[in-house]
Amino acid sequence: MKSKKYLLSFLYYMVAAFGISLTIKAAVGVSSFNSMNVAISELTKIEVGTITTLVNLLFLIACFFIEKNKKIPEYLFMMVSLVCFGSVINFFLYHLLFKVQIGSYFLSIIVFIVGTIIAGYGTGRSLYYGILKFPIEKCCILLVEKHNKSFSYYRYGVDIVSILISLSISLVFKFPIYIREGTILSFILLTFVINKTKNKTYGYVKNIKNKLSRKI
């Protein structure tokens, strides 16, 4: 049963990666964290999925040093998952979707919304199982436990730093601005979909368990 949870958690993690690739492909702006990754990718010419993996691994390393009662297998599983996460983004963005042209602004918005919903759905389902955590959120939670600050203080701090780095790279090197309407749409839609998916999954599983217990 536990191995099934690991597998499902991993699969939904990859679904989230596919959703992120769609939001980047739409080219109408991305979330604050992804805007930094896209800007760094543009600057270094390293694929954006690889940058996403590397930045997440930095947060994971920070978690490893902050957390006292760490579980090595959990960290190894997260490390492998992050590498796969970035590889999925690269596969869709630079191979499967590379030659796909989005013909209009309206269609770009639709693709972005669909990508955000898919990313939120995958994230929500993955978070439900409580096995694969996203390094940024895990790092923020550990900092909350260590210091007298709120979770939002650290999480918004990451967003602000990401936006500043993204804008700095774009302005200094005359790259496109990645903080756009998509960033606002992501801010409104992503958390909503994650919470809805996570809660509905919990309710669905609870109903099945209740039905099984009544049969027994």
Side-chain angles (χ1 to χ4, degrees):
M1 186 65 181
K2 194 169 183 180
S3 59
K4 184 181 178 181
K5 284 186 177 181
Y6 270 88
L7 178 61
L8 288 172
S9 184
F10 178 80
L11 287 175
Y12 285 118
Y13 215 63
M14 297 309 109
V15 168
F18 169 59
I20 288 173
S21 7
L22 285 179
T23 63
I24 296 172
K25 182 66 181 179
V28 290
V30 287
S31 67
S32 54
F33 177 66
N34 286 323
S35 74
M36 178 183 69
N37 296 332
V38 173
I40 294 173
S41 172
E42 186 73 23
L43 177 63
T44 60
K45 305 305 176 187
I46 299 172
E47 292 179 334
V48 67
T50 306
I51 295 296
T52 302
T53 293
L54 291 173
V55 175
N56 273 303
L57 284 175
L58 288 176
F59 278 99
L60 189 63
I61 291 168
C63 292
F64 184 82
F65 285 106
I66 295 171
E67 191 171 16
K68 290 182 180 179
N69 301 316
K70 58 183 73 69
K71 297 176 182 177
I72 302 300
E74 180 183 302
Y75 274 89
L76 290 175
F77 182 56
M78 285 179 67
M79 189 179 296
V80 171
S81 300
L82 286 172
V83 172
C84 294
F85 189 83
S87 299
V88 168
I89 292 175
N90 287 339
F91 172 71
F92 282 105
L93 206 55
Y94 299 103
H95 300 283
L96 200 63
L97 300 174
F98 183 71
K99 292 184 179 180
V100 175
Q101 298 294 324
I102 302 176
S104 68
Y105 176 76
F106 176 75
L107 188 57
S108 292
I109 293 293
I110 296 298
V111 170
F112 183 88
I113 291 172
V114 170
T116 302
I117 291 171
I118 292 172
Y121 176 79
T123 303
R125 291 297 297 262
S126 181
L127 288 175
Y128 163 76
Y129 295 107
I131 294 169
L132 268 177
K133 301 176 180 70
F134 288 83
I136 294 176
E137 281 70 27
K138 182 178 175 66
C139 189
C140 291
I141 290 169
L142 290 172
L143 287 172
V144 168
E145 294 170 356
K146 195 175 180 65
H147 303 287
N148 189 26
K149 299 285 185 182
S150 66
F151 174 83
S152 58
Y153 173 86
Y154 293 109
R155 191 60 188 83
Y156 280 124
V158 172
D159 284 338
I160 291 168
V161 170
S162 298
I163 289 170
L164 289 175
I165 291 174
S166 176
L167 287 174
S168 298
I169 292 173
S170 294
L171 293 173
V172 171
F173 296 96
K174 296 181 171 57
F175 293 150
I177 301 293
Y178 302 107
I179 306 295
R180 290 178 53 190
E181 56 272 40
T183 311
I184 299 169
L185 283 171
S186 175
F187 181 79
I188 296 169
L189 192 58
L190 186 61
T191 303
F192 173 79
V193 175
I194 290 171
N195 288 332
K196 279 286 183 184
T197 303
K198 189 178 176 184
N199 292 337
K200 280 191 176 182
T201 305
Y202 175 78
Y204 175 73
V205 173
K206 190 176 180 181
N207 286 337
I208 290 176
K209 286 181 179 178
N210 289 336
K211 286 178 182 178
L212 289 173
S213 63
R214 282 197 294 269
K215 286 181 180 179
I216 295 170

